[in-house]
Amino acid sequence: MAVRRSRMELIYDILIAIQNKGGIIKPTHLMYKSNLSHKLLTMYMDELIQKELILISEEFNKKRKTTSKTIALTDKGSMFLAEYRRMREFTEAFGL
Amino acid sequence: MYQLFYTPGWFNGFDLVVEGISLIVALLIAAYSWKAYKVTRENKFGYFSFAFILVALGLGFKMFTSGVLYYSSLRNVVADVLAPAVGPQLQFADLFYRGAFFLEMLSFLGAWLLIFFVSQKSRERLHQYYEVSQIGLFAYLILLISFVSNFKYSVFYLTSAVILGMTVLNYYKNYLNTNRNKNARLVMLSFLFILISNLFFIFVFIWQNFYVLGEVFLLIGFLMLLSAYRKVRK
């Protein structure tokens, strides 16, 4: 049975999915990579945007004449990832 | 002058240095754990931080009681501070020493017990309301042992050794569960050294120099904790 991820683990999974794609990702790809439902992902994305860990930008595709959204990791988001990795190391080392 | 046990005179002051270094290490770990608690809001980090604050407090009390014994200038300062409160009955200053020893032991025992509980895997931790009564029982036992240890100091070190022994076992399990993580091994070994130091302190009555060995092992234990902390923070 899959273990339920904590809130911090979910945020980490979202941010690492963006980082692994070179810092920019499409929302659908993010949903699959982070293994979250659309509703849950939207909820967390709102929080991450508020905390300035990610940025959403829209690009206009001239050929298709449609706009597509992309999600980018901010510098603050990268720093958060690095700090969270350190906390995970701390948790593992001290058996918390 | 009240003393728990007699230690080699030439070592006076060196143990203060050992405890000072250990206190700094304890505070560093407490501070980082508190930071982790603020970010993650997970109680285990808060409890772990509190445990190491208790360790720092215990070391602080130990440094204070030792410092008053070793240095007459500090003793005079304390006497000057106490005299207005206690008056001509300063002969009862033994009570203040006993009080400081009591607080030292209470802090250490509380810290080791908290670290033991936090180092257990979450499914083994106390969750249910009725188990809170067990926490109350442990709190009572710590108070009792701290009080009794004023008259028989070895009781405190024996109890610390037992709790630390169980903690070392928990950390050994953690070392295996984390695929033999090097930092987990370092933490396990550091608590093992602290356990060994407590074993030496139990037998100071046989040979005074066991106190020196105990302090050396305590220092090595805390330096290993510092090393683990630094590796994690990189």
Side-chain angles (χ1 to χ4, degrees):
Chain A
M1 198 160 97
V3 175
R4 244 190 126 164
R5 290 177 285 179
S6 68
R7 186 178 151 270
M8 288 309 299
E9 282 168 342
L10 283 168
I11 290 173
Y12 175 78
D13 286 346
I14 292 168
L15 295 178
I16 198 75
I18 304 171
Q19 193 179 60
N20 289 344
K21 270 280 193 172
I24 299 174
I25 196 169
K26 287 188 178 173
T28 319
H29 293 172
L30 179 58
M31 199 171 82
Y32 289 124
K33 292 284 181 191
S34 58
N35 202 22
L36 287 169
S37 66
H38 179 261
K39 188 181 173 185
L40 210 55
L41 180 65
T42 311
M43 195 176 83
Y44 277 100
M45 267 175 46
D46 289 339
E47 187 183 340
L48 294 174
I49 291 165
Q50 250 187 5
K51 292 186 173 160
E52 296 173 5
L53 299 177
I54 59 171
L55 271 174
I56 292 187
S57 50
E58 288 189 8
E59 278 176 12
F60 181 71
N61 190 323
K62 284 180 184 172
K63 252 186 177 175
R64 292 183 182 178
K65 291 183 183 172
T66 53
T67 51
S68 59
K69 275 188 189 173
T70 55
I71 301 159
L73 189 67
T74 60
D75 288 341
K76 205 173 169 185
S78 299
M79 278 166 53
F80 174 86
L81 271 177
E83 192 57 44
Y84 187 76
R85 276 193 202 103
R86 277 187 219 114
M87 279 181 197
R88 275 233 297 227
E89 275 287 322
F90 182 84
T91 306
E92 261 189 25
F94 286 90
L96 298 175
Chain B
M1 198 73 58
Y2 177 69
Q3 270 183 279
L4 281 179
F5 46 77
Y6 293 97
T7 57
W10 60 269
F11 197 61
N12 287 357
F14 289 106
D15 54 348
L16 291 180
V17 173
V18 168
E19 282 138 27
I21 294 169
S22 306
L23 189 145
I24 292 167
V25 173
L27 286 175
L28 282 172
I29 294 171
Y32 190 70
S33 196
W34 182 253
K35 184 182 172 185
Y37 168 70
K38 297 275 277 183
V39 171
T40 63
R41 287 284 160 199
E42 287 180 43
N43 289 338
K44 59 186 180 183
F45 292 110
Y47 294 140
F48 200 65
S49 175
F50 182 59
F52 272 92
I53 287 171
L54 284 177
V55 170
L57 265 176
L59 289 163
F61 283 124
K62 190 169 191 290
M63 284 173 75
F64 175 72
T65 50
S66 301
V68 169
L69 279 168
Y70 300 158
Y71 305 113
S72 55
S73 50
L74 186 56
R75 203 155 50 238
N76 293 337
V77 166
V78 172
D80 286 343
V81 168
L82 288 178
V86 181
Q89 294 168 321
L90 203 53
Q91 62 187 324
F92 292 114
D94 269 4
L95 274 174
F96 291 98
Y97 282 116
R98 286 185 188 272
F101 285 134
F102 173 78
L103 290 170
E104 173 196 330
M105 290 173 193
L106 192 70
S107 303
F108 273 126
L109 288 177
W112 302 143
L113 202 59
L114 200 51
I115 291 171
F116 166 70
F117 280 126
V118 171
S119 65
Q120 285 188 304
K121 282 300 154 201
S122 53
R123 63 180 173 275
E124 292 162 355
R125 283 186 204 141
L126 303 179
H127 286 300
Q128 308 292 334
Y129 178 75
Y130 71 87
E131 286 165 329
V132 170
S133 62
Q134 292 187 27
I135 295 172
L137 176 65
F138 285 126
Y140 165 71
L141 288 172
I142 288 170
L143 280 164
L144 182 67
I145 290 164
S146 303
F147 179 74
V148 167
S149 298
N150 256 289
F151 309 101
K152 193 77 185 162
Y153 78 92
S154 52
V155 171
F156 161 66
Y157 288 113
L158 194 58
T159 311
S160 287
V162 166
I163 298 172
L164 283 165
M166 295 194 299
T167 305
V168 169
L169 277 174
N170 282 343
Y171 278 121
Y172 178 63
K173 274 191 259 176
N174 179 55
Y175 165 63
L176 294 177
N177 287 337
T178 54
N179 292 322
R180 297 174 191 267
N181 182 301
K182 285 182 184 171
N183 292 332
R185 187 171 71 117
L186 207 50
V187 169
M188 176 191 73
L189 289 174
S190 65
F191 277 97
L192 181 64
F193 273 85
I194 295 170
L195 160 66
I196 294 170
S197 79
N198 276 265
L199 292 173
F200 276 121
F201 289 139
I202 293 170
F203 297 107
V204 163
F205 68 93
I206 294 174
W207 190 41
Q208 279 186 20
N209 285 332
F210 275 148
Y211 181 74
V212 177
L213 287 169
E215 288 286 324
V216 167
F217 273 83
L218 187 74
L219 180 64
I220 294 171
F222 274 94
L223 286 177
M224 288 175 93
L225 271 179
L226 179 66
S227 174
Y229 167 78
R230 285 195 62 192
K231 284 184 179 175
V232 156
R233 289 300 307 274
K234 261 190 209 169

